[in-house]
Amino acid sequence: MLSSVAKPSYGIVTGKDDVLMFDLDEKVDIEDELILPVIRAQGCDRYSDAFPSKKVVYPYEFQNSNTSLIELDNIKTKFPKMYKYIMENSVPLKERKDSRNLFGDRVGWYGLVRFGQLETFMKPKIVTPGEVKHNKFCIDNTKSGFTGARVFAITVEDETVDIRYLLALLNSKVVEFFMHHT
């Protein structure tokens, strides 16, 4: 079973891409520490290296083995450019909804709808577009996030399994046949 050696992961959903996501080469006046490169479906091709084409505002940190939203007061103190950006865009960020609830009603209204896990993003991983006719599994070594619902990831949790071996299996015709028929 794949689950005995690997772990599937869901990625990032901003809830407002036009405010929180940018082209990779676009200049953004936010501290680099709070910008995360993002792989989209177009950045995945069978047996290739995945590549990010976007970047996302990512006000999270890895703390006590968890990905945590940085408190707004800490952003204001440590990341003044990010704070300014958040405040300038507070109206559209607060108008986002998650399960029919407004983000403006939350303490962390400036966070992402789905933020993924930094631990997963930082690992080498297999990524694949969610909607394809043929298997398109590739490897990401760029420490990027990935868009939820469009790209999914698999991290190898068993150190005895080579990620390239798993990649070959997932891209095989046998696995493709199985996936199309189950």
Side-chain angles (χ1 to χ4, degrees), residues 3-23:
S3 61
S4 68
V5 297
K7 178 182 164 189
S9 296
Y10 188 81
I12 293 169
V13 176
T14 69
K16 196 74 176 155
D17 284 357
D18 61 328
V19 172
L20 296 170
M21 197 170 288
F22 308 92
D23 289 332

Side-chain angles (χ1 to χ4, degrees), residues 28-101:
V28 181
D29 195 26
I30 296 173
E31 291 84 358
D32 289 341
E33 301 95 323
L34 300 180
I35 298 291
L36 180 71
V38 176
I39 297 168
R40 308 231 337 152
Q42 309 88 303
C44 303
D45 206 5
R46 192 177 184 145
Y47 289 112
S48 68
D49 290 327
F51 62 89
S53 60
K54 296 281 188 178
K55 58 188 174 186
V56 69
V57 173
Y58 198 77
Y60 295 86
E61 61 187 350
F62 193 67
Q63 199 175 48
N64 301 324
S65 301
N66 290 308
T67 301
S68 304
L69 184 63
I70 302 171
E71 292 182 18
L72 198 53
D73 287 341
N74 289 342
I75 291 174
K76 184 176 183 177
T77 304
K78 296 177 185 174
F79 306 104
K81 292 177 183 178
M82 172 65 139
Y83 183 77
K84 180 181 178 211
Y85 187 82
I86 288 171
M87 298 318 287
E88 288 173 351
N89 291 284
S90 63
V91 172
L93 291 175
K94 288 179 177 181
E95 288 175 345
R96 295 177 296 158
K97 289 186 177 182
D98 185 23
S99 300
R100 296 186 207 120
N101 297 318

